[in-house]
């Protein structure tokens, strides 16, 4: 036992030292990269401005003497900006080295990998101002849940039909968002993939779905059932055109405006295509001996393998009201088709 504790303590110390070393190397690499980005960005900007001056001279909009004076002013201005920004980064590097030597460097806590990776992928840091700028192509983690119900079941074929299931729908997945215009958040194309499940319940708990040759009917089970539900799971490909009314953000210190999505009202209109991967009928009842019994029936139940239809959402920031309707009939060969509707809340984590 004593040896185990000693080995565990040594492993913890080794892990901490390695984490400190890795943390130092990562921070030093970031600072070095920013110094290089600052110089590259400023030189690129200066080059563009000098070309504009040359074009003005060619068009006789400015004399060559005036252009030379302006070029010197611009060169001096950008050199000062480089020196100032690089000096700040060098101070950070010196402080980092000092903390490393004195052993005061802290190991940063790790965030949840999914959300950390999304945050890193969706933004980049401006080399001069340090502002987090949102990329044109980003990824969101999507969670949705809400009520689910069957429609068009009033013709008598399904008896008393189905009832609204308040928590009969759930969806989780990823979407990729592409800003269609460089300078505005308004128009966005969103597409991705998700897994969703829906659950319909008979109006009366004693009713269950039964396969009769190629048809699937809703019939009385002949005994008391406490709970009965019919669950399907799909892999889905959703596509939406999203309008994001978020206003540009403003950074007071640098007097810089920049785009940041999901800061205002949003709405999306599109559709989805789903492929069924799982179907189950669940029943809970007391058997003839009074024993509590659960029964799970897994079968195709003459279900359509493909589900598709329109979907839409409207909301504020990350949260929105979400609805999707299945145009394709739930069952293949029934004389009366039923379709399903899901309405709930949707969370897009940027």
């Amino acid at each position: 036992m004593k040896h185990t504790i000693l080995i565990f303590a040594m492993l913890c110390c080794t892990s901490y030292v390695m984490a400190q070393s890795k943390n130092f190397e990562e921070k030093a690499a970031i600072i070095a990269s920013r110094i290089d980005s600052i110089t590259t960005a400023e030189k690129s900007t200066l080059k563009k401005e000098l070309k504009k001056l040359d074009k003005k001279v060619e068009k006789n909009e400015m004399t060559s003497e005036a252009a030379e004076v302006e070029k010197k002013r611009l060169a001096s201005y950008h050199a000062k900006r480089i020196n100032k920004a690089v000096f700040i980064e060098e101070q950070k590097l010196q402080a980092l080295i000092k903390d490393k030597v004195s052993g005061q460097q802290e190991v940063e806590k790790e965030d949840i990998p999914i959300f950390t990776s999304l945050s890193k992928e969706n933004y980049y840091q401006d080399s001069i101002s340090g502002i987090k700028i949102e990329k044109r192509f980003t990824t969101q983690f999507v969670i949705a849940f809400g009520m689910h119900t069957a429609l068009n079941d009033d013709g008598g074929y399904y008896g008393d039909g189905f009832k609204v299931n308040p928590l009969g729908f759930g969806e989780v997945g990823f979407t990729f968002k592409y800003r269609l215009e460089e300078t505005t958040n308004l128009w966005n194309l969103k597409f991705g993939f998700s897994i969703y499940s829906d659950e319909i319940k008979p109006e009366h708990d004693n009713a269950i779905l039964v396969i009769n040759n190629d048809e699937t009917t809703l019939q009385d089970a002949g005994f008391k059932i406490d709970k009965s539900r019919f669950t399907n799971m799909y892999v889905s490909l959703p596509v939406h055109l999203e309008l994001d009314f978020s206003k540009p953000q403003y950074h007071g210190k640098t007097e810089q405006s920049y785009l940041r999505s999901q800061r205002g009202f949003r709405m999306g209109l599109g559709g989805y295509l789903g492929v069924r991967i799982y179907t189950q009928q669940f029943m809970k009842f007391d058997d003839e001996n009074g024993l509590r019994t659960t029964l799970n029936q897994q079968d195709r139940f003459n279900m359509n393998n493909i589900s598709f239809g329109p979907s839409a959402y409207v909301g504020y920031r990350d949260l929105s009201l979400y609805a999707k309707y299945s145009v394709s009939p739930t069952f293949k060969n029934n004389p009366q088709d039923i379709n399903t509707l899901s309405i709930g809340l949707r969370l897009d984590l940027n």
Side-chain angles (χ1 to χ4, degrees):
M1 182 67 179
K2 189 183 294 183
H3 290 91
T4 303
I5 295 173
L6 182 61
I7 292 171
F8 180 74
M10 290 177 64
L11 287 173
C12 289
C13 292
T14 304
S15 176
Y16 179 77
V17 171
M18 290 178 66
Q20 273 195 323
S21 177
K22 183 180 179 182
N23 196 34
F24 172 80
E25 291 173 0
E26 287 179 350
K27 287 185 175 181
I30 291 172
I31 293 173
S33 176
R34 287 197 61 179
I35 291 174
D36 182 63
S37 297
I38 289 166
T39 306
T40 303
E42 289 296 322
K43 286 183 177 180
S44 176
T45 303
L46 176 60
K47 187 176 180 180
K48 291 178 182 178
E49 291 174 342
L50 294 180
K51 285 184 177 180
K52 289 180 181 178
L53 291 175
D54 289 335
K55 288 183 178 179
K56 286 185 177 181
V57 173
E58 290 176 2
K59 295 178 180 179
N60 294 323
E61 296 176 357
M62 177 184 286
T63 64
S64 58
E65 291 79 8
E68 287 300 322
V69 172
E70 182 64 14
K71 286 180 180 180
K72 290 179 180 179
R73 187 193 70 79
L74 289 172
S76 175
Y77 169 76
H78 286 284
K80 289 179 181 179
R81 281 177 61 87
I82 290 173
N83 292 335
K84 182 179 178 180
V86 170
F87 175 76
I88 294 172
E89 297 303 319
E90 288 176 344
Q91 291 291 100
K92 292 179 182 178
L93 184 59
Q94 290 177 13
L96 184 65
I97 295 172
K98 184 178 178 181
D99 290 342
K100 173 68 174 178
V101 173
S102 62
Q104 295 179 357
Q105 185 185 358
E106 295 182 358
V107 179
E108 294 182 351
K109 294 180 180 180
E110 294 185 359
D111 297 322
I112 301 174
I114 292 177
F115 301 114
T116 302
S117 61
L118 284 181
S119 178
K120 289 181 179 179
E121 289 297 324
N122 289 345
Y123 301 96
Y124 69 91
Q125 202 162 30
D126 184 77
S127 59
I128 304 298
S129 65
I131 299 173
K132 286 177 67 177
I133 306 297
E134 187 170 315
K135 296 179 180 179
R136 193 170 180 180
F137 186 84
T138 56
T139 307
Q140 289 77 44
F141 182 65
V142 178
I143 303 172
F145 60 91
M147 77 89 178
H148 184 73
T149 187
L151 305 177
N152 310 326
D153 59 356
D154 54 356
Y157 181 79
Y158 296 97
D160 292 326
F162 303 89
K163 59 185 176 182
V164 175
N165 189 347
L167 290 174
F169 167 75
E171 183 172 2
V172 61
F174 288 92
T175 60
F176 305 97
K177 181 170 68 177
Y178 179 71
R179 194 167 66 241
L180 296 178
E181 296 184 24
E182 181 67 35
T183 58
T184 177
N185 282 318
L186 185 59
W187 300 99
N188 303 273
L189 177 64
K190 293 191 72 169
F191 57 94
F193 60 90
S194 65
I195 294 177
Y196 74 89
S197 67
D198 55 44
E199 186 178 275
I200 56 177
K201 291 184 176 181
E203 183 65 37
H204 297 291
D205 289 332
N206 284 357
I208 60 173
L209 287 164
V210 178
I211 302 172
N212 292 321
N213 297 320
D214 291 335
E215 297 180 11
T216 303
T217 60
L218 196 62
Q219 298 180 8
D220 191 296
F223 55 90
K224 180 176 174 54
I225 298 177
D226 297 321
K227 290 183 180 179
S228 173
R229 60 176 180 263
F230 187 70
T231 305
N232 296 290
M233 185 174 291
Y234 299 83
V235 174
S236 174
L237 299 174
V239 179
H240 294 93
L241 178 65
E242 180 180 280
L243 275 68
D244 189 333
F245 298 96
S246 302
K247 295 181 180 179
Q249 305 293 298
Y250 180 75
H251 192 261
K253 291 184 178 180
T254 60
E255 298 182 349
Q256 181 180 349
S257 295
Y258 57 97
L259 297 178
R260 188 63 58 85
S261 66
Q262 298 186 192
R263 290 296 184 272
F265 286 98
R266 299 181 299 117
M267 59 183 298
L269 181 63
Y272 71 96
L273 174 66
V275 178
R276 185 181 61 85
I277 58 174
Y278 177 79
T279 295
Q280 173 187 274
Q281 181 167 235
F282 170 84
M283 290 173 280
K284 181 181 286 188
F285 57 92
D286 293 333
D287 67 9
E288 56 187 9
N289 298 316
L291 297 176
R292 197 68 167 168
T293 304
T294 58
L295 178 62
N296 292 310
Q297 296 178 332
Q298 296 182 21
D299 195 272
R300 294 182 60 183
F301 286 91
N302 297 321
M303 291 279 298
N304 265 319
N305 292 325
I306 302 296
S307 177
F308 61 91
S311 58
Y313 56 89
V314 58
Y316 180 73
R317 296 178 74 93
D318 295 343
L319 188 64
S320 56
L321 183 65
Y322 182 43
K324 59 192 305 183
Y325 174 73
S326 174
V327 173
S328 55
T330 301
F331 300 104
K332 286 183 179 180
N333 303 306
N334 288 358
Q336 181 183 344
D337 291 333
I338 60 169
N339 306 90
T340 57
L341 174 68
S342 302
I343 300 176
L345 297 176
R346 170 180 169 132
L347 187 64
D348 293 67
L349 299 173
N350 198 3

